[in-house]
Amino acid sequence: SSGINAEWPLRPGKERIETLAKPKLSRSTLSYGPSLSWGNQQTMWELTKGAKSAEPSDRILSLAQSKRNLSTQEDLKPQWEYSCGRQSPIIQVSGAARKAVNSERIEQLAQPKNNHCNYTENRPMYEFSCGRSSPVEGPAETAKTAAERERTNQLAQPKKVHSEHQASREVQSILTQAAMNTRPTERLDQLAEAKRRPDGPFREPEWPVCKKAMKAQSTERTRELSRSKGLVEGFQGNRHVMWNVSKSAKQAVATRRVEELSVPIQRESMDHVQFNPDVFKVSETAKKAKCSVRTEELAQPISRK
């Protein structure tokens, strides 16, 4: 204990509080590797002198050659120069195609399809329709001269309104002459009068208490009911958000083990880890490891009924 006290001397309370009041240092701004600036030709790690003075092999030189551009400006059509990568179907007709003579087969295929022998032209009402024949057509001559039937006349009659049907009432109703000449009763005149409210004087909100009320004594039942509800035995109130730090906490000195545990773990940043292909590789010993009996017991799921 004497060695620990010599290495970690006690500080006064004020200096200790100032040390604890300092904010925690952010580790996100710290870099544990070389500083990289993306977008340039600098390497991630510095090249060794041997790598700089090394000469490439014939194979590396052949692989380093850029791919040859086989396309020429003559191959590109004017409609394809500013397209999105696909050749335009619109091309200029060559002179040989313009002077070519059609064969008998091409002329046969170029003929339009002839109409059927029983084909009739569309009616005038069908010319501007949406593709279906119109159901509206003129009556035939036989229909015009046909005699009337009793059943046909019965079906042609419009549907009659129900005997108890009442039409919708208009918003503005017309008053009858009797309603205009009638006179209200005395009871209606009394109910139609506005409520009368006096102008005052009213009683003051504060008034003196009489002597009898001052000298009155409450009963035992009233006193029992006026008592406030007590707290349960062992009740502890809510702890305040801010409380005073004890002197022992201010003068406490952390042990060497606590200092070791308080040091943050330094891990490599993802900028460097993502280039390591074996960073998430499981070792062979971890694959062959066997868990203990206690670990198997803790790994079992909880059985619930």
Side-chain angles (χ1 to χ4, degrees), residues 141-203:
E141 294 297 333
T142 55
K144 293 180 181 179
T145 58
E148 296 181 357
R149 295 187 306 169
E150 186 177 353
R151 177 59 178 167
T152 305
N153 293 335
Q154 181 183 356
L155 294 174
Q157 294 295 328
K159 189 175 181 180
K160 296 181 181 180
V161 183
H162 195 269
S163 59
E164 298 180 359
H165 171 73
Q166 294 182 359
S168 300
R169 186 176 179 181
E170 296 181 1
V171 179
Q172 296 180 356
S173 57
I174 301 173
L175 297 178
T176 61
Q177 195 67 27
M180 293 181 182
N181 298 333
T182 189
R183 293 184 179 181
T185 60
E186 294 182 1
R187 178 59 178 167
L188 289 178
D189 287 336
Q190 180 182 357
L191 295 174
E193 291 181 357
K195 188 175 181 180
R196 299 177 182 178
R197 294 180 174 83
D199 298 335
F202 300 103
R203 191 181 69 176

Side-chain angles (χ1 to χ4, degrees), residues 5-281:
N5 293 334
E7 187 175 358
W8 302 94
L10 293 175
R11 298 182 181 178
K14 187 175 181 181
E15 294 181 4
R16 179 61 177 167
I17 293 173
E18 290 178 357
T19 306
L20 295 173
K22 291 182 179 179
K24 188 177 180 181
L25 180 62
S26 177
R27 303 289 176 177
S28 60
T29 57
L30 300 180
S31 178
Y32 301 101
S35 59
L36 302 176
S37 56
W38 301 98
N40 54 18
Q41 299 297 328
Q42 294 180 1
T43 57
M44 186 173 176
W45 305 97
E46 292 184 4
L47 298 177
T48 60
K49 293 182 179 180
K52 293 180 180 179
S53 59
E55 293 183 359
S57 60
D58 296 339
R59 178 58 178 166
I60 294 176
L61 291 175
S62 63
L63 293 174
Q65 294 294 330
S66 58
K67 190 175 180 180
R68 190 174 125 194
N69 187 8
L70 301 176
S71 63
T72 59
Q73 290 294 333
E74 297 178 358
D75 299 336
L76 297 175
K77 297 182 175 61
Q79 296 90 344
W80 197 31
E81 291 181 1
Y82 305 102
S83 67
C84 59
R86 298 184 64 184
Q87 185 176 1
S88 176
I90 303 174
I91 58 177
Q92 297 179 358
V93 184
S94 62
R98 293 178 182 177
K99 298 177 182 178
V101 181
N102 300 332
S103 61
E104 294 181 2
R105 178 58 178 166
I106 293 177
E107 290 182 356
Q108 181 184 358
L109 295 173
Q111 293 296 329
K113 188 177 181 181
N114 297 327
N115 296 326
H116 195 267
C117 58
N118 297 329
Y119 171 77
T120 56
E121 294 185 0
N122 295 333
R123 295 192 297 268
M125 294 165 288
Y126 184 46
E127 292 180 357
F128 305 101
S129 68
C130 59
R132 299 179 64 185
S133 60
S134 175
V136 182
E137 56 182 352
E141 294 297 333
T142 55
K144 293 180 181 179
T145 58
E148 296 181 357
R149 295 187 306 169
E150 186 177 353
R151 177 59 178 167
T152 305
N153 293 335
Q154 181 183 356
L155 294 174
Q157 294 295 328
K159 189 175 181 180
K160 296 181 181 180
V161 183
H162 195 269
S163 59
E164 298 180 359
H165 171 73
Q166 294 182 359
S168 300
R169 186 176 179 181
E170 296 181 1
V171 179
Q172 296 180 356
S173 57
I174 301 173
L175 297 178
T176 61
Q177 195 67 27
M180 293 181 182
N181 298 333
T182 189
R183 293 184 179 181
T185 60
E186 294 182 1
R187 178 59 178 167
L188 289 178
D189 287 336
Q190 180 182 357
L191 295 174
E193 291 181 357
K195 188 175 181 180
R196 299 177 182 178
R197 294 180 174 83
D199 298 335
F202 300 103
R203 191 181 69 176
E204 296 293 334
E206 296 181 0
W207 62 89
V209 183
C210 61
K211 294 182 179 180
K212 292 182 179 180
M214 292 181 180
K215 296 179 181 179
Q217 294 182 357
S218 57
T219 60
E220 294 182 2
R221 179 58 180 166
T222 306
R223 293 175 184 174
E224 183 180 353
L225 294 174
S226 64
R227 292 173 186 171
S228 59
K229 189 176 180 180
L231 301 175
V232 183
E233 185 179 355
F235 172 78
Q236 294 182 0
N238 297 331
R239 188 176 182 181
H240 200 270
V241 179
M242 299 175 63
W243 59 87
N244 297 328
V245 183
S246 61
K247 292 183 179 180
S248 58
K250 293 178 181 179
Q251 299 175 359
V253 178
T255 59
R256 186 175 299 176
R257 179 58 178 165
V258 175
E259 293 287 347
E260 292 177 2
L261 295 174
S262 63
V263 176
I265 301 174
Q266 296 182 0
R267 297 183 177 91
E268 295 184 1
S269 62
M270 286 302 298
D271 296 339
H272 301 157
V273 172
Q274 63 181 348
F275 296 104
N276 186 5
D278 300 332
V279 64
F280 298 111
K281 187 176 181 181

